[in-house]
């Protein structure tokens, strides 16, 4: 809703219809533009025609990448990065939030990565993205985290937030600007 409130076209995608039902049920702030809620397999967004390659200015991935990286017999990480890179326009950016390995993993909880693992996945030879900025943060409160955070020092799980940019081969810098919907 944050981007939709500011005039941007927003699409929420999840494989789990139940998660989309929860999102649809949340009240939107006054003046918020519409949000398209799509039940889809993120690996097939382009091949199934849900989104066109190079059609997205900004991707916000909260806890999707760190779940997908271990699926598909270990090929999930490369496939998730490939989909992200293919969906983004040249100069487009992806904000990726994942569990941070500098604290013990919650059981159950977000899987964790080191900073090097996250940067390598998106910026390595196959990733082809550029790291703009990376910082430590904590996941937002959730019923699961609230119920169990006393076991983990009274705080939500530690996370990495990393902003990656897709290179623009034409050399036209986007300057990190996300264009509002027309």
């Amino acid at each position: 809703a944050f981007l939709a409130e500011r005039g941007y076209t927003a699409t929420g995608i999840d494989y789990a219809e139940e998660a989309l039902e929860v999102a649809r049920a949340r009240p939107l702030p006054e003046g918020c533009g519409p949000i398209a809620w799509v039940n889809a397999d993120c690996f097939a967004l382009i091949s199934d025609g849900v989104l066109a390659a190079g059609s997205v200015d900004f991707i916000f991935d909260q806890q999707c990448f760190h779940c997908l990286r271990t699926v598909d017999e270990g090929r999930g990480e490369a496939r998730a990065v490939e989909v992200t890179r293919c969906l983004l326009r040249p100069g487009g950016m992806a904000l990726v939030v994942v569990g941070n390995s500098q604290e013990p993993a919650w059981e159950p909880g977000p899987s964790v990565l080191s900073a090097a693992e996250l940067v390598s996945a998106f910026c390595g030879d196959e990733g082809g993205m550029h790291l703009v900025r990376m910082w430590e943060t904590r996941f937002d409160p959730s019923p699961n985290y609230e119920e169990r955070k006393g076991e983990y020092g009274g705080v939500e799980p530690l996370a990495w937030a990393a902003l990656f940019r897709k290179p623009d081969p034409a050399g036209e810098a986007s300057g990190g600007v996300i264009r509002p919907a027309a």
Side-chain angles (χ1 to χ4, degrees):
F2 179 83
L3 293 173
E5 277 184 276
R6 286 150 180 81
Y8 298 98
T9 301
T11 304
I13 299 169
D14 205 300
Y15 188 74
E17 182 59 40
E18 298 81 17
L20 293 169
E21 288 172 11
V22 169
R24 287 182 191 112
R26 289 185 178 162
L28 293 176
E30 190 173 320
C32 185
I35 299 174
W37 300 106
V38 179
N39 179 237
D41 176 348
C42 70
F43 290 138
L45 292 172
I46 296 170
S47 63
D48 287 353
V50 175
L51 294 169
S55 66
V56 177
D57 288 312
F58 180 76
I59 294 172
F60 177 55
D61 173 337
Q62 172 133 335
Q63 301 191 58
C64 184
F65 174 72
H66 72 204
C67 294
L68 294 176
R69 64 189 294 261
T70 60
V71 302
D72 195 18
E73 299 175 2
R75 294 187 303 265
E77 178 173 294
R79 289 182 68 201
V81 171
E82 175 70 11
V83 168
T84 300
R85 188 178 65 249
C86 287
L87 285 171
L88 288 170
R89 290 185 171 121
M93 300 185 18
L95 176 59
V96 181
V97 180
V98 300
N100 183 327
S101 65
Q102 293 192 40
E103 280 187 351
W106 284 41
E107 294 297 334
S111 62
V112 296
L113 287 84
S114 69
E117 288 172 314
L118 180 56
V119 172
S120 176
F122 282 87
C123 300
D125 292 337
E126 292 186 31
M129 305 274 285
H130 297 294
L131 178 66
V132 175
R133 182 172 177 239
M134 184 172 189
W135 63 98
E136 283 188 344
T137 187
R138 297 233 172 241
F139 285 105
D140 289 339
S142 73
N144 178 50
Y145 296 156
E146 286 299 316
E147 180 179 300
R148 301 185 49 243
K149 72 181 184 181
E151 303 168 38
Y152 295 95
V155 294
E156 283 71 23
L158 191 63
W160 289 116
L163 186 61
F164 298 100
R165 181 188 312 261
K166 179 179 179 176
D168 184 347
E172 299 168 6
S174 72
V177 175
I178 304 168
R179 295 181 298 277

